[in-house]
Amino acid sequence: MVHAYVFITTSKAREQEVADTIRELEMVKFAHIVTGNVDVVAFIEAPDLSVLWDTVNHVQALPAVTRTITSLVVEPV
């Protein structure tokens, strides 16, 4: 399994819409609205990198998403 956190910036006041939409994606285990430099943090668990990147690409293609930063988990604790 491959794990990643995706930090998502959205268009103004659209964080709830984005969080609700990506929670429905099979590989997204959670999506939380947060404060700070990003609007939503999502955790993705995928069987391999290809599926993980497909999921990230799907998130990036949402109209309300303006930017993402993806951090792969290298050593779960």
Side-chain angles (χ1 to χ4, degrees), residues 3-4 16 34 40 44 46 72:
H3 301 94
Q16 187 69 57
V34 297
V40 178
I44 298 174
L72 293 174

Side-chain angles (χ1 to χ4, degrees), residues 40-56:
V40 178
V41 175
F43 181 73
I44 298 174
E45 182 178 80
D48 57 48
L49 278 173
S50 176
V51 174
L52 181 120
W53 291 125
D54 288 345
T55 304
V56 171

Side-chain angles (χ1 to χ4, degrees), residues 8 13 20 30 37 39 47 59:
I8 304 160
D20 290 344
F30 68 75
N37 294 331
D39 301 307
V59 171

Side-chain angles (χ1 to χ4, degrees), residues 60-71:
Q60 291 172 332
L62 295 173
V65 172
T66 60
R67 182 171 188 236
T68 66
I69 299 170
T70 302
S71 295

Side-chain angles (χ1 to χ4, degrees), residues 14-51:
R14 295 189 67 188
E15 57 276 344
Q16 187 69 57
E17 171 190 341
V18 169
D20 290 344
T21 299
I22 64 176
R23 279 187 192 116
E24 300 300 318
L25 299 176
E26 181 181 357
M27 300 301 149
V28 174
K29 301 307 171 192
F30 68 75
H32 297 298
I33 297 170
V34 297
T35 62
N37 294 331
V38 298
D39 301 307
V40 178
V41 175
F43 181 73
I44 298 174
E45 182 178 80
D48 57 48
L49 278 173
S50 176
V51 174

